[in-house]
Amino acid sequence: MLREAFPCLHQQVNGKPLVYFDNAATAMRPQVVIDAVTDYYCHHNANIHRGVHCLSGRATDLYEQARASLARLINAPSPDNLIFVRGCTEGVNLVAQTFVRERLQPGDEILISHLEHHSNIVPWQIVCQQTGAKLKVIPMNDQGELVLDNFDTLMTERTKFMSVVHVSNALGTINPVKELVQKAHAKNIPVMIDGAQATPHLKVDVQDIGCDFYTVSGHKMYGPTGSGVLYGKAEHLDAMPPYHGGGEMISKVTFEESIYNKVPAKFEAGTPNIAGGIGLGAAAEFIMDVGINTITEREDVLKKYTEQALQGIDGLRILGQAQHKSPVFSFLIDGIHPHDIGTIIDHHGVAIRTGHHCTMPIFQFFDVPGSCRASLAFYNTEQEVDILVESLNQAKAMFA
Amino acid sequence: MLREAFPCLHQQVNGKPLVYFDNAATAMRPQVVIDAVTDYYCHHNANIHRGVHCLSGRATDLYEQARASLARLINAPSPDNLIFVRGCTEGVNLVAQTFVRERLQPGDEILISHLEHHSNIVPWQIVCQQTGAKLKVIPMNDQGELVLDNFDTLMTERTKFMSVVHVSNALGTINPVKELVQKAHAKNIPVMIDGAQATPHLKVDVQDIGCDFYTVSGHKMYGPTGSGVLYGKAEHLDAMPPYHGGGEMISKVTFEESIYNKVPAKFEAGTPNIAGGIGLGAAAEFIMDVGINTITEREDVLKKYTEQALQGIDGLRILGQAQHKSPVFSFLIDGIHPHDIGTIIDHHGVAIRTGHHCTMPIFQFFDVPGSCRASLAFYNTEQEVDILVESLNQAKAMFA
Amino acid sequence: MSDLNKLYKQQVLEHNKNPKNYGQPAHWTHHAEGLNAICGDQVHVYLTIQDNTIEAAHFAGDSCAISMASASMMTELITGQSTFDALHLFASFKQMMSPEGLPDAEHILGPVACLVSVKKFPSRIKSALLCWYALNAALNGQATATTE
Amino acid sequence: MSDLNKLYKQQVLEHNKNPKNYGQPAHWTHHAEGLNAICGDQVHVYLTIQDNTIEAAHFAGDSCAISMASASMMTELITGQSTFDALHLFASFKQMMSPEGLPDAEHILGPVACLVSVKKFPSRIKSALLCWYALNAALNGQATATTE
Ligand SMILES: Cc1ncc(COP(=O)(O)O)c(C=O)c1O
Ligand SMILES: Cc1ncc(COP(=O)(O)O)c(C=O)c1O
C-alpha cells in the first residue's frame, strides 16, 4: 500500500496512532525521497558544475536529471525553464525583484487575489513601497471563490503584473488559472501562478495554463525542505537581471565588471541545495509513478467523506465551500477557540493546524481570527477521518 | 577512527580507492549529520513555528536547538543573532541589499580584497550598479597575502562598508580579520567577514573578531547542502528592512500594510530548509565534539606533509605561500594544463578541483587561467597525499 | 487527572466562559496590544492608572481559553496593585512559565499560579503569556507586544 | 588501451605540443571568444573569410590539451571550406559529441573524428566543443560563445 512508503506516518503521538492532517503546512516524504537525499550524501557527495572528478560529475548529473524530472512533471518546454529555489516564497520574491520591480512606475498596479498566502502578498507590498505602485485585489465570495464579474475592470492600463494562487492553502479553492491568464494576456499583463498547493494534488501543465511564471514548493509535494523550482518563460528569464550575485552565475569576473552566465545558471548563485534538488527530482518521479490522476481521484473520495463527516458535527462550520476544491477543510466550532481544539485533538494523536494559516486577509473577510484546518493527502484514510470526528466530539464534550 | 564517521569516503572511483581532496568545494558529511536529516524526515516531519501539534513542536525545538548550537560554535551573543540562509552567497547578498544598499550614494566606496570569492565580489558589483558606488580592492602580494601597508589610505570618508574573506578558498590564506575590523571600526566602517572556509578548519569567535556580520556556509563545514547562517550584530539586524516577504516574517498582514516580525523571524520568510538547519546544528555539535583545536592541529600536520610532498615534484609550482594558511594547495605543473591533470589523476581515484575556483581575479593576478587545487580536511591521510603525488607523476609521464 | 484535564481545569473553563474585566472600558490611561504572530492571537489590555496605582484593568480580544483565562485572572490580580508590583508580578509569571520555574508561585501569584499546568504544553505557553506581555508594554508606554 | 590513453592519444598530445594555426594573426575578418564559465577555459577563433570561403583560420588562448588539440584540428579542417560547410561541420561535430553520436563520423570529419574518445569523459566534452562554439559564433557575427 502507498501509505507504507511514508515512514513518518507510522508512529504514536501522545500514546495514540498519529493522524497527520497538516499536509498543507508540509507534506510527508516517501522513503524514495529520503533515500535520494541519503544516497547523495553517502555515495555522490560533491559540489556540482565544478569538478573534472568523478563524484562531481555524478552529482551534477543527478542534479540536472532532477531538473528534467520537474520539467516533465509540470510540462515545461525545457529543463532550462526551471530555476531551483528554496521554495515558493523565494520564487515570488525573485520575480518581484528581478522581473516586476523595474517595470513599475508610481501609480502602476499589481493585481493579486483575496485568497493569497502572505508569501504572495508581502513581496508585492515591498515592491510597491520601493516603486510607488499599488496593490489591487480580486475579491472573493462567501464560498471562498474569486468573484470575476468585474475582473475586466480590475485590469487597467496601469496593471503591470498579476500573481494569483492556484490552490488556496487555507480554503482549498482551486482557481480557474487558465482563464485568468487568458484574460490578463488579452490586456498584455504577465501572470505568475503560486503553485505551492497545486503540484502535490493536481495535474499542472504550465504550457496549457499559459502563465509567464509558476512557482513550485518542494516540501509541499513530498520533497525535501528548502527545495522548489520557479518556472519562467524563456524570453523572460533571458531578459531578467540576475537575483543573487556569486559563484556559478557568472562566466567572467574582473573587478571592473562581470559577465553573467546563461539561464538557469544566471539565477543560481552559490552552491545550491544539491541534496534537496535531487530529492525533489525523486519526489517528482514518485508523483509520476503513482500517477497524478490516481492521487486526485483518491483525494476526491477522501474529500467527500471528510466533508460529510464534518457536516455531521453540531455547531461546526466549514469556511470555504468552493465548487472546485482540494481536500482542505477550514472550520470553526461554536464556543471553542481553534487553538483549544488543536491542543485537545493533538492529545488524541490528530495533527491539524490552527490559526490564520499565513492568510490573514481571508480571515479578515470572514471576520474571525483564524480556523482549524484539516488538510489531507492521498495517503490519509477514512478511518483517520473518523478519529478526527471522534476527537472533535471529545473537545466539544470538554467545553460543554 | 574519525575517518570512519564519513560514509562517502569509503568507496572506489575508477577502480581505485577514492582520495577526496576537493573539500574546499564541499566537505564530506559525517553519519551524525546524515542521521539528523533522516531522523527529521522519518520521525519529526512537520513545519516549524506553526502548529499546536506534537510533531510541529518537536521540529521547532530541533530547528531552534540547531540555531543555538551554531551560536555556540561561533560564540555569538545569542541564537537570535543568527539568520538561517542557503549558504554564504545568500548571506552576502542579504547584507548587500538590506544593510548596505540604502547607505550608498553615488561615489561612495565599498572595500573588498583581491582574495575574494565571486560570491563576495559580484553582490557588491550589483549594489554598485544600483547605487553608483564604487568597488575598491585591498591588493595582494606574490605570497597570496593581503598587502596592508597602505590600508589606512584605502579607507576614505566615502568608504561605507568593507567585506573580506576570512580564509581564501583558492590559496588557503588566513587573513588577519580581527586587525582589519579594528582598523575599519576606527574609521566607523562596518565590516562583514566571509567565513565559508573558516568554520570547517579554525576556531571562529565573532565577538572576538568584532565584525558586524559573519557568513557561514553549511556544506563547507560538514553540514547539509542548502544550509548556512548569517551572523549579525543585534542593532543592525533590528534596524534592517526584511529581505524576502512571505510567511513567518510578519506579525500582521492586511492588504494595506504588514507589520514585520522580530529578528530572526523577520529574515526567514517562507518555509526554511528545516532538515538542512537541523543537520547543520548536528555538524556544529560534531565539530565541537571532535574539538576545533584537534581539527586545526591535525590539519597543520597534514598541511606540512603535503607541502613537502608537492615541493618534491619537479616543475610543480605552488601558488600562494602565505605564512598563515589552511591546508589548501593551488598548484601548476609545467607544460600540463590543470584540467588535464584533473582528468588524469581522477583516473587514479584522486578528486581535486581545477580551474579558477570562483576567484578569477586571483588568477588574473598570477596571470594564469587557473590552477589545480588540492584542499584537505582533517579526515584525509598522509597515505592519500602519497597517492596524489604518485598520480601527479603519472600525469607528468603521460605528457613527457 | 490527565495533563489535558489539568490544562483545561475547572477554573480555566470558568474564566473562559465568564471572563472578568472583559471588554473595552469607557476610559483608560494606558493601553497595549499583544500579538502572537504565529497563531494570530490578539489581546488588548486597558489600564487606568492613578498615582502609580492600577485602579482598573480590562482586556479584550478574541483568543483561546488559555489566553482568556490568563487575562481574566491577571486583571483580577493586578487591580489595586502599584505599577511597580504589577511589573514584579509580570516577572514572576514569566519566571513561573520558564523552564526553571518559580518556587513559591502560589504565594506570589495566588490563583494565577494554577496556570503552571500550561507548561506541559509548550506550544501554548505563549497563549498564557500574551496578556502579560501586553501589560508590560502598556506599563512601559509601548503600543504593542509580541511573544515571538 | 585504457580510456585515459585513448583520450590522450598520440594525435592529441602532438597537436597540444605543436598546435597548428596557433596565435593571433595579423589580419582577420571574423573573430569570437569562447568561454567555459565553469572551468575558465578560453579560446579565441580568428577567421579570414572571402567570398564565403574561409581563407585562413587561427586560434589563441590558454587551455587544456583536449581544447588545444580540438582547435588545432578544427582550424586545419575548416581552412579552405565554405562558411556553409563550416557550419555543417560544426553541426556534425556537435552531433558526434552528443549521446546519439554521428554515424560515419570519420567520413565527414576526417582526423577530427578521433576526438570521439572524449565522450567517455563527460566533464571534458565541453573542452572539445569550445572552439567549435566560438567558430559558430564568429560565423554568425557574435562576439562570444559559452558552452554553459
Ligand atoms: C499557497 C501557498 N503559497 C506559498 C507558500 C509558501 O511556500 P514555501 O513554504 O515553499 O515558501 C505556501 C506554503 O506555506 C502556500 O501554501
Ligand atoms: C571563500 C568562499 N566564499 C563564499 C563561498 C560561497 O559559499 P556558498 O557555496 O555557501 O554559497 C565559497 C564557496 O564556494 C567560498 O569558498
Side-chain angles (χ1 to χ4, degrees), chain A residues 110-277:
Chain A
I110 295 168
L111 196 54
I112 61 173
S113 91
H114 207 117
L115 285 169
E116 302 311 319
H117 186 278
H118 294 165
S119 287
N120 202 22
I121 301 173
V122 186
W124 305 114
Q125 291 181 324
I126 291 177
V127 88
C128 283
Q129 272 163 25
Q130 288 163 339
T131 60
K134 288 181 306 191
L135 210 55
K136 281 178 85 174
V137 182
I138 308 170
M140 64 185 265
N141 64 21
D142 287 338
Q143 264 63 54
E145 291 167 322
L146 294 186
V147 180
L148 298 177
D149 303 348
N150 298 314
F151 184 54
D152 283 330
T153 62
L154 271 174
M155 294 182 293
T156 71
E157 74 282 6
R158 307 244 37 182
T159 310
K160 293 293 154 57
F161 198 74
M162 178 166 97
S163 188
V164 175
V165 69
H166 195 163
V167 178
S168 160
N169 65 305
L171 306 179
T173 314
I174 301 173
N175 284 322
V177 287
K178 186 175 177 178
E179 183 192 331
L180 291 170
V181 169
Q182 278 168 351
K183 292 194 168 157
H185 280 183
K187 302 205 170 180
N188 281 318
I189 301 167
V191 182
M192 172 153 83
I193 303 296
D194 167 359
Q197 302 288 345
T199 48
H201 305 297
L202 304 179
K203 173 93 198 99
V204 169
D205 181 331
V206 291
Q207 294 188 76
D208 181 56
I209 296 170
C211 53
D212 298 272
F213 298 97
Y214 195 97
T215 58
V216 172
S217 168
H219 71 97
K220 310 258 189 209
M221 55 169 274
Y222 325 112
T225 56
S227 72
V229 289
L230 169 68
Y231 158 83
K233 284 189 177 167
E235 67 261 35
H236 296 327
L237 297 180
D238 286 339
M240 280 149 69
Y243 187 46
H244 283 166
E248 305 311 328
M249 53 72 73
I250 51 82
S251 50
K252 196 170 180 176
V253 171
T254 66
F255 289 123
E256 289 69 42
E257 62 154 3
S258 294
I259 299 171
Y260 300 131
N261 207 331
K262 289 203 275 194
V263 172
K266 182 171 75 174
F267 295 103
E268 295 182 355
T271 306
N273 185 355
I274 303 170

Side-chain angles (χ1 to χ4, degrees), chain A residues 53-64:
Chain A
H53 62 82
C54 175
L55 257 53
S56 178
R58 267 152 41 190
T60 306
D61 287 348
L62 288 169
Y63 196 67
E64 293 306 326

Side-chain angles (χ1 to χ4, degrees), chain A residues 47 50 247 269-272, chain B residues 24-25 86-90 92 115-120 165-170 194-197 215-220 227 353 357-359 373:
Chain A
N47 214 324
R50 296 199 172 187
T271 306
Chain B
R86 178 168 36 238
C88 259
T89 303
E90 189 178 28
V92 179
L115 284 169
E116 302 311 319
H117 187 278
H118 294 165
S119 287
N120 202 22
V165 70
H166 195 163
V167 179
S168 159
N169 65 304
D194 168 0
Q197 302 287 346
T215 58
V216 172
S217 168
H219 72 96
K220 311 259 188 208
S227 72
R353 199 177 156 203
H357 320 304
C358 294
T359 55
R373 182 186 68 186

